[in-house]
Amino acid sequence: MGTAKTPQRRAILTGGLAAGAALLTACSSKDTAGTGRAAAAAGTPSPSPAAAARPDSPWSAFARLMDGNKRWVDGTLQHPDRDPERREFVAEAQDPYGVILSCIDSRVPPELVFDTGLGDLFVMRTGGQVVGPVVVGSVEYGPMTSGTPLVVVLGHQRCGAVKAAYEALRDRKPLPGNLQSIAEALRPAYRETVKRQHADPVDAMVRIHTKQTAAGLRTNKDLAPLVKKGDLAVVSAYYSLDTGRVEVLTGAPSA
């Protein structure tokens, strides 16, 4: 999972001694978005549409994601960063602008839902987007090692994992094998759900769990300082299978 700030290959792609010198200077900079801006400053085209302006703030990363989701909903996809030049560009280093923690559901692939491409996102997927030490460490990786400015916890409509957990906890009938560990991870959301009447308790549990997970990450001892400084936003969101739209629940950054 290399996160070197600027691949040497980029100096070749942008061409010219002046551009090469600018990029070598950018290599020593702590600016994680240096690769795209160096190419833009050199006045040369970037290898792929989104590579020249990697979002470097929580708001700009959030705006990029939501713009992509709008294209997904509208059917006006751009399929950015999905060509051989992009593959070559990120082969030696990566600098994703977002972290997505979502469910394993086959109908909710983050790269499609947000119309992104190769090297744009760190993606973790677990049943019901539940977390544990390894998952939390994976979420922390981007923000703590390369300044990734945005984390999105993405729940979704008609989540089978949450439904199975809800029914198992309600009926006190453990799920088979390690599936029960998912139900146990969802127990706090279940407890919150049953405190009040919901027309659709499973959907309510999805939303509650998603918000709880984001809140836990937002106050995590390692991520909280980044959030406090304004370098990171942790957003909870909900994906509609019916419409394709991502609804923000909590934590949307301001411009």
Side-chain angles (χ1 to χ4, degrees), residues 50-109:
R54 181 263 201 191
D56 58 1
S57 72
W59 166 252
S60 60
F62 174 73
R64 168 89 51 98
L65 276 186
M66 296 307 289
D67 284 347
N69 178 245
K70 186 178 187 304
R71 296 194 300 271
W72 170 254
V73 172
D74 295 342
T76 56
L77 300 175
Q78 293 179 358
H79 305 291
D81 299 337
R82 299 185 193 181
D83 53 45
E85 289 179 311
R86 177 65 172 181
R87 183 186 67 227
E88 185 175 351
F89 174 62
V90 299
E92 295 181 10
Q94 61 175 329
D95 199 16
Y97 63 83
V99 177
I100 310 294
L101 171 60
S102 69
C103 183
I104 61 172
D105 194 292
S106 64
R107 300 164 293 178
V108 193

Side-chain angles (χ1 to χ4, degrees), residues 38-238:
T44 56
S46 127
S48 94
R54 181 263 201 191
D56 58 1
S57 72
W59 166 252
S60 60
F62 174 73
R64 168 89 51 98
L65 276 186
M66 296 307 289
D67 284 347
N69 178 245
K70 186 178 187 304
R71 296 194 300 271
W72 170 254
V73 172
D74 295 342
T76 56
L77 300 175
Q78 293 179 358
H79 305 291
D81 299 337
R82 299 185 193 181
D83 53 45
E85 289 179 311
R86 177 65 172 181
R87 183 186 67 227
E88 185 175 351
F89 174 62
V90 299
E92 295 181 10
Q94 61 175 329
D95 199 16
Y97 63 83
V99 177
I100 310 294
L101 171 60
S102 69
C103 183
I104 61 172
D105 194 292
S106 64
R107 300 164 293 178
V108 193
E111 293 88 346
L112 298 184
V113 167
F114 293 108
D115 193 25
T116 62
L118 190 65
D120 289 333
L121 301 175
F122 289 113
V123 175
M124 275 67 65
R125 302 182 69 179
T126 66
Q129 68 275 355
V130 302
V131 297
V134 172
V135 177
V136 172
S138 299
V139 171
E140 292 173 342
Y141 182 82
M144 294 180 65
T145 66
S146 59
T148 306
L150 180 68
V151 173
V152 176
V153 181
L154 186 64
H156 70 93
Q157 185 181 28
R158 303 189 193 102
C159 181
V162 173
K163 180 181 179 182
Y166 175 83
E167 293 174 348
L169 294 169
R170 180 196 62 192
D171 301 336
R172 299 183 181 181
K173 293 181 179 180
L175 296 172
N178 288 308
L179 293 176
Q180 182 59 22
S181 64
I182 297 176
E184 291 303 325
L186 287 162
R187 189 179 289 277
Y190 173 78
R191 288 173 177 160
E192 185 65 26
T193 302
V194 298
K195 286 181 180 179
R196 54 182 60 88
Q197 295 289 331
H198 295 282
D200 186 340
V202 172
D203 194 72
M205 186 168 161
V206 170
R207 293 169 181 269
I208 289 168
H209 168 65
T210 303
K211 289 188 282 188
Q212 287 179 342
T213 302
L217 293 170
R218 199 178 297 121
T219 57
N220 168 308
K221 67 181 181 64
D222 295 308
L223 297 181
L226 299 174
V227 173
K228 186 176 181 179
K229 289 192 297 182
D231 294 337
L232 176 68
V234 181
V235 177
S236 64
Y238 174 93

